[in-house]
Amino acid sequence: MMIDLPLEQVRTLLAVVDEGTFDAAAAVLHVTPSAVSQRVKALEQRTGRVLLLRTKPVRPTESGEIVVRFARQLARLERDTRSELGMSGSGEPTRVTVAVNADSLATWFLPALSRVPRDPQLCFELHREDETRTAELLREGLVMAAVTSSPEAVTGCSVRALGTMRYLAAASPDFVARHLEDGPLGETLARAPVMAFDRSDDLQDTFVRGLRRGASGAGPVRHAVPTSEGFVAAVAAGFGWGMVPEAQAGDLLRTGRLVPLAPGRPLDVPLYWQQWKLDSPALAAVAEAVAQEAARTLRR
Amino acid sequence: MMIDLPLEQVRTLLAVVDEGTFDAAAAVLHVTPSAVSQRVKALEQRTGRVLLLRTKPVRPTESGEIVVRFARQLARLERDTRSELGMSGSGEPTRVTVAVNADSLATWFLPALSRVPRDPQLCFELHREDETRTAELLREGLVMAAVTSSPEAVTGCSVRALGTMRYLAAASPDFVARHLEDGPLGETLARAPVMAFDRSDDLQDTFVRGLRRGASGAGPVRHAVPTSEGFVAAVAAGFGWGMVPEAQAGDLLRTGRLVPLAPGRPLDVPLYWQQWKLDSPALAAVAEAVAQEAARTLRR
């Protein structure tokens, strides 16, 4: 399907999407805005699809995203080939872009990258996104690989199981005394203030529903703190109870600054590594390091 | 200007923007999609502006954003009034939404919120954004207040200086030995691998340009780790040098796991508190707590 797309037009489309406007793309490509416009139109005629919404900034349509992903993979292949041929004349180091969930980034992911050999020198560009949305960044071609909760391969990607992250319901000792001793956990938790990562974090609701059949979820007082470390710090400071990653809260649990609320009822979130199917030595080295560190630190 | 906007139409516009489509807004408002469409059209005729781009999901135009911000402030006022009148029949706790930069969130901001009296019970909803972009969230009406580097008041907002966050150039001892001992800092830093928060983080470039007149910035090997804690951890792990917040790296600097590269050359980023000009007791309590904690922890 991708055969026979004029590469100049494809690269032009990518520049327009990355720069946001035809004028900005023209400046980057050193051509006139009208040339940019003609190339995009020609590509749209050739594919028989509208590829760009002419908003400000422009946005790719669904068909446009497919071509943009192709363009990014192409750019990547060219860069790797140049580098392997010793032709990195631009002096540009190899960039490895990865989308990773906040809790992995706060625990095992940087140690994994430390395992990657530093010769040749790579640039790591990490994007932080919820594990249910990292695959989306892969689909859009913004990253080459992702730590994701989705086992279903994104088109053009391979998948590998990494293990599971365990979450435990926890709260500060003060919070337990103030909010959770006045009845069974299934009832007190449905009223007590609760922490969330952001509005779409439903781990706490899932936990409460698992405790008591028919429960609608956690209580109405919900604080949102959208960083992994901030979330755990807020639970320890008594803002609310929350599901904390076992790997991250280990010290706080051991020293009693956090109390596990139901030690026998963890929530396990399986994680997967998805990456573009590219014969890229850099990407392969990262994948290998990630798999090793995950095997060491995540649960099977 | 805002006088005489039919509130039902304004609320409908807000629902469409929040839900993303006319159909979803109709479901939330319990009316037909055609009623939603008619109300939005009527509001556009009344204001004489196009308010919505009919994309998927819909997006407000610049004029639309002004009306959306008005709608959010209105909803807020209604909620506060109900709550002050003891009418919070919906049982909904008061929500305080704040945009805050990652380094503040990782250091002094949660202790500030701990100072806020817990009666009446508030919900804190934090949004993490670069300090140069938090004001944008305020402008869009997504948050009621922001910690920002911008002293220029967003329309309808008040501003108050909080103090400055100090950043120090730092690296691990290993990294210094490997990359920085082979010449003056202004030259070695321009070649050494460098950390950044994300692609728009130019603090490291600013520092290098300050060291040596005519320098173009930090080197070409750039790693991006978009969390405050991850950034500092990556510097300590030797991925690159970077500008670390003094408040956050204090322990690492004292124990020698991080080495300051030019102790006499800090970069100071002034921070401001901007908030909607609303007579909201909840927002006033948060502003007061933030000002107190900032006075205690930020530099004057």
Side-chain angles (χ1 to χ4, degrees), chain B residues 58-126:
Chain B
V58 300
R59 291 189 312 144
T61 60
E62 266 183 57
S63 302
E65 278 183 2
I66 296 170
V67 180
V68 164
R69 184 168 65 217
F70 167 66
R72 290 198 206 279
Q73 295 186 321
L74 172 72
R76 169 91 223 148
L77 274 177
E78 287 182 328
R79 211 154 44 219
D80 274 5
T81 308
R82 269 206 314 275
S83 151
E84 281 185 88
L85 291 172
M87 283 172 62
S88 53
S90 69
E92 201 183 313
T94 306
R95 182 181 300 275
V96 177
T97 51
V98 184
V100 56
N101 62 311
D103 290 331
S104 289
L105 183 49
T107 52
W108 63 276
F109 199 76
L110 283 177
L113 292 189
S114 292
R115 290 172 171 264
V116 179
R118 293 200 185 171
D119 184 36
Q121 179 73 59
L122 306 180
C123 284
F124 298 116
E125 181 177 307
L126 305 188

Side-chain angles (χ1 to χ4, degrees), chain B residues 243-260:
Chain B
M243 301 302 297
V244 301
E246 182 187 43
Q248 202 188 352
D251 280 348
L252 293 170
L253 289 165
R254 267 188 297 279
T255 57
R257 289 185 53 207
L258 282 183
V259 180

Side-chain angles (χ1 to χ4, degrees), chain A:
Chain A
M1 265 227 326
M2 281 306 178
I3 291 162
D4 253 8
L5 289 184
L7 297 186
E8 186 182 58
Q9 294 172 11
V10 168
R11 285 199 198 94
T12 302
L13 181 78
L14 180 62
V16 175
V17 168
D18 280 349
E19 302 300 322
T21 65
F22 284 67
D23 286 357
V28 168
L29 297 171
H30 305 291
V31 298
T32 64
S34 127
V36 170
S37 172
Q38 280 165 22
R39 287 183 196 168
V40 172
K41 254 186 232 143
L43 190 58
E44 288 184 321
Q45 275 163 8
R46 195 168 191 113
T47 56
R49 317 273 174 99
V50 176
L51 298 174
L52 278 187
L53 298 174
R54 269 68 171 181
T55 49
K56 280 216 161 181
V58 300
R59 290 189 312 143
T61 60
E62 265 182 58
S63 303
E65 278 182 4
I66 295 170
V67 180
V68 164
R69 186 167 62 218
F70 166 67
R72 289 198 206 280
Q73 293 186 323
L74 171 71
R76 169 90 225 150
L77 273 176
E78 289 181 327
R79 211 152 47 219
D80 274 5
T81 307
R82 271 206 315 274
S83 152
E84 281 185 89
L85 291 172
M87 283 172 62
S88 54
S90 69
E92 201 182 314
T94 306
R95 183 181 298 277
V96 177
T97 51
V98 184
V100 56
N101 62 310
D103 290 332
S104 289
L105 182 49
T107 52
W108 63 275
F109 198 77
L110 282 177
L113 292 189
S114 292
R115 290 172 171 266
V116 178
R118 293 198 185 172
D119 184 35
Q121 179 73 58
L122 307 179
C123 285
F124 298 116
E125 181 177 307
L126 306 188
H127 293 253
R128 196 197 65 142
E129 195 48 86
D130 190 84
E131 67 269 17
T132 59
R133 293 189 295 253
T134 43
E136 195 51 42
L137 270 63
L138 201 57
R139 195 167 297 123
E140 291 168 7
L142 285 174
V143 296
M144 304 159 55
V147 175
T148 166
S149 60
S150 166
E152 286 150 41
V154 169
T155 315
C157 292
S158 63
V159 190
R160 169 179 200 170
L162 291 175
T164 63
M165 277 205 98
R166 172 156 289 187
Y167 290 82
L168 298 172
S172 71
D174 271 11
F175 187 90
V176 171
R178 218 159 2 109
H179 293 285
L180 303 180
E181 290 185 337
D182 191 25
L185 205 56
E187 286 170 23
T188 54
L189 278 189
R191 290 192 304 263
V194 63
M195 291 300 310
F197 190 82
D198 56 23
R199 283 196 190 187
S200 66
D201 173 12
D202 57 3
L203 217 48
Q204 286 69 226
D205 293 312
T206 303
F207 179 75
V208 171
R209 280 194 292 267
L211 275 185
R212 192 162 63 92
R213 190 181 287 262
S216 64
V221 176
R222 294 166 180 243
H223 305 294
V225 176
T227 68
S228 183
E229 297 83 355
F231 180 99
V232 172
V235 173
F239 284 94
W241 71 276
M243 302 301 297
V244 300
E246 182 186 41
Q248 203 188 350
D251 279 347
L252 293 171
L253 289 165
R254 267 188 297 279
T255 56
R257 287 185 55 206
L258 282 182
V259 180
L261 302 180
R265 285 180 166 277
L267 283 183
D268 286 341
V269 175
L271 293 178
Y272 302 86
W273 175 257
Q274 294 209 21
Q275 67 171 67
W276 290 353
K277 277 185 196 146
L278 280 184
D279 195 12
S280 157
L283 191 50
V286 173
E288 184 53 32
V290 163
Q292 282 181 17
E293 185 68 21
R296 219 178 59 79
T297 54
L298 295 180
R299 288 180 174 259
R300 293 281 100 187

